[in-house]
Amino acid sequence: MEPINEIFFGEHGLTSTSATHLANIAQETIVSHEEKLKNLNFVTTKVDIVGSPTHSEKMVNIGYDEAFLGQIRSILEEIAEMNAFCAWVREAVKAKDKELNAIDGMDIDVWCEENGFELAKEPIRPRRIYENDIIAKMNVRERNEYYQLEAIAATIGKCIHNEGPLSSARKELQNKMVKPFSTEGSGHEMLIYSHVPSVEPQKVEDIFFELQKWHRSNEQQLNKIKFDIKKRLEEENLANNQRYNTEVKEAHQKISAQISAFNKWQIEERTRLAKLKIIIPNSLQGTYDKLSRLEE
């Protein structure tokens, strides 16, 4: 098994089917919450028909109130939480499928090399180390923190960046404060709309900049991890190249591999891998419990 995939599995946990099912439930929760944010609006609009004998205003839109404004962060936190769970589970399912396919498609010569049988030829230049190789050496907490930071960054950014629901609602609120009235039609059929903030504009600004600050803080943590990964890449690739230049001068011993041993390994390894369960990191246990209750 590739080192990058080992971290997902253990004797206790979820089957791929159960994990995928819970991820689908999490995705439904994400969609539900995103629908709430998609229609963010902090403007209450009334309309009065010019020439109407009663001159009574009609309510045509009610903006979200302060109570809902206060829920935005918790909604985003749950979306990020569900995204982090989905990221872990889907990567684990993908890893298991990849490993099963790798066993089925394994070539005996490759298997011999992986099991320490050196071929009678010059050493192969070591494979360049990539980001995934460094990530593979992270423990559960570190790997999950990396996925969570990416999930949080994407979640917040989707809401506050240009064209995001909160950013758009904020711009609309600012525009309607400058132009509190608008008209449609003309003459006796003219409609006059009045636009009134449904929450204190400053509170919208406060939550917007609070989320920006949260996003920056999250980005700083994520960038630090990425910088450390890049540094380790350079160091390990340099060490590998230096070791290769030394080894290329040495001769290699012949190898022997038995087809029967290889076939036995394939059967046993596939059986072992099929029995492995997808573990749930400690920080995702609460999310797992929540999703498990939803499916009851």
Side-chain angles (χ1 to χ4, degrees), residues 118-224:
E118 295 181 317
L119 300 175
K121 59 183 180 181
E122 290 294 309
I124 300 173
R125 181 178 292 275
R127 183 179 63 83
R128 182 171 180 79
I129 300 299
Y130 293 97
E131 179 180 317
N132 279 349
D133 300 292
I134 302 301
I135 294 175
K137 298 178 182 179
M138 293 179 176
N139 57 36
V140 170
R141 182 193 61 78
E142 292 170 335
R143 179 86 72 90
N144 186 54
E145 178 186 20
Y146 184 66
Y147 291 153
Q148 283 185 317
L149 289 172
E150 286 189 321
I152 291 171
T155 300
I156 303 173
K158 188 175 181 179
C159 183
I160 67 174
H161 287 166
N162 286 337
E163 306 306 324
L166 181 57
S167 178
S168 298
R170 174 173 171 261
K171 291 175 183 177
E172 182 183 8
L173 174 59
Q174 292 170 343
N175 290 336
K176 291 300 188 292
M177 289 174 62
V178 175
K179 299 179 180 180
F181 297 94
S182 61
T183 63
E184 182 179 305
S186 60
H188 293 295
E189 297 181 351
M190 178 182 289
L191 301 178
I192 301 175
Y193 296 87
S194 64
H195 310 289
V196 181
S198 59
V199 296
E200 178 63 34
Q202 185 57 47
K203 291 185 178 181
V204 176
E205 292 297 294
D206 291 344
I207 192 68
F208 181 78
F209 288 109
E210 177 188 343
L211 293 177
Q212 279 194 328
K213 182 178 179 181
W214 180 24
H215 190 255
R216 285 195 299 271
S217 174
N218 183 80
E219 284 284 284
Q220 288 173 354
Q221 296 178 64
L222 183 59
N223 288 337
K224 182 181 183 303

Side-chain angles (χ1 to χ4, degrees), residues 13-180:
L14 300 175
T15 63
S16 295
T17 300
S18 296
T20 300
H21 176 62
L22 290 178
N24 289 337
I25 295 176
Q27 193 61 46
E28 291 173 2
T29 302
I30 292 169
V31 171
S32 175
H33 283 330
E34 287 182 340
E35 283 298 319
K36 297 176 185 176
L37 296 178
K38 186 185 299 181
N39 298 314
L40 273 181
N41 181 283
F42 301 118
V43 178
T44 296
T45 300
K46 299 178 180 179
V47 63
D48 189 8
I49 303 176
V50 175
S52 172
T54 58
H55 293 287
S56 58
E57 290 184 320
K58 302 294 183 183
M59 187 76 68
V60 294
N61 185 73
I62 299 177
Y64 284 111
D65 58 16
E66 186 176 334
F68 186 84
L69 178 66
Q71 297 175 15
I72 291 179
R73 174 158 184 156
S74 63
I75 290 174
L76 289 174
E77 286 175 344
E78 182 156 281
I79 291 175
E81 175 188 348
M82 295 297 170
N83 275 327
F85 181 85
C86 288
W88 178 267
V89 165
R90 297 198 189 287
E91 286 296 321
V93 171
K94 183 169 66 176
K96 193 169 188 179
D97 289 341
K98 181 179 180 181
E99 291 299 330
L100 288 170
N101 290 334
I103 293 171
D104 294 340
M106 176 69 76
D107 185 86
I108 190 170
D109 292 336
V110 176
W111 180 79
C112 288
E113 287 189 29
E114 291 184 351
N115 285 274
F117 300 109
E118 295 181 317
L119 300 175
K121 59 183 180 181
E122 290 294 309
I124 300 173
R125 181 178 292 275
R127 183 179 63 83
R128 182 171 180 79
I129 300 299
Y130 293 97
E131 179 180 317
N132 279 349
D133 300 292
I134 302 301
I135 294 175
K137 298 178 182 179
M138 293 179 176
N139 57 36
V140 170
R141 182 193 61 78
E142 292 170 335
R143 179 86 72 90
N144 186 54
E145 178 186 20
Y146 184 66
Y147 291 153
Q148 283 185 317
L149 289 172
E150 286 189 321
I152 291 171
T155 300
I156 303 173
K158 188 175 181 179
C159 183
I160 67 174
H161 287 166
N162 286 337
E163 306 306 324
L166 181 57
S167 178
S168 298
R170 174 173 171 261
K171 291 175 183 177
E172 182 183 8
L173 174 59
Q174 292 170 343
N175 290 336
K176 291 300 188 292
M177 289 174 62
V178 175
K179 299 179 180 180

